[in-house]
Amino acid sequence: MQKAVLKLDVCCERTKQKAMSTVCCLSGVQSVDVKEGKLTVVGEIDAFMIVKKLKKVCYTEIITVGPAKEAEKKPEPKSEPKPLQVICPYIPTCFPPYYHNFYGRDG
């Protein structure tokens, strides 16, 4: 994962949009950001290929290329597992009336 910061000489919004769409179409690009004439690209990228494509749109210079800083993951506090609760099903003491014959005897 790399992060490349490029300087763009953009004169209007249309040129900025063309530059962003050109970079977004490249494979391996995960995020693109433009601020104050600087284009920041993050992903599995080749900075030379990006500059080569952007030269067709506007003047481009490479400022920095390096590894991208990943967000630090905070460890989640481990909670103790709750003890299992045993639930006994209700067992009726007598059978429902439809198990007996009509007269209440076995004969």
Side-chain angles (χ1 to χ4, degrees):
M1 186 82 93
Q2 286 188 340
K3 177 180 177 182
V5 180
L6 309 169
K7 180 182 176 187
L8 302 176
D9 285 341
V10 290
C11 56
C12 61
E13 279 295 314
R14 185 170 184 221
T15 309
K16 186 189 295 187
Q17 290 296 324
K18 279 186 177 182
M20 285 188 67
S21 65
T22 302
V23 173
C24 287
C25 292
L26 298 174
S27 64
V29 175
Q30 290 185 348
S31 68
V32 179
D33 187 27
V34 177
K35 289 185 182 174
E36 301 172 8
K38 292 182 181 179
L39 178 76
T40 305
V41 183
V42 177
E44 297 295 328
I45 54 172
D46 182 17
F48 177 74
M49 288 302 295
I50 294 173
V51 172
K52 185 177 175 182
K53 296 284 184 178
L54 285 175
K55 290 268 186 181
K56 297 176 183 176
V57 177
C58 62
Y59 180 76
T60 308
E61 290 181 12
I62 297 176
I63 297 176
T64 59
V65 177
K69 294 180 182 177
E70 295 184 12
E72 295 180 13
K73 296 180 181 177
K74 294 181 180 179
E76 296 179 8
K78 294 182 179 179
S79 62
E80 294 181 15
K82 295 180 181 178
L84 295 175
Q85 219 175 11
V86 179
I87 300 174
C88 296
Y90 173 72
I91 301 173
T93 55
C94 63
F95 293 103
Y98 51 83
Y99 282 119
H100 300 288
N101 64 10
F102 181 74
Y103 296 106
R105 54 190 163 136
D106 292 331

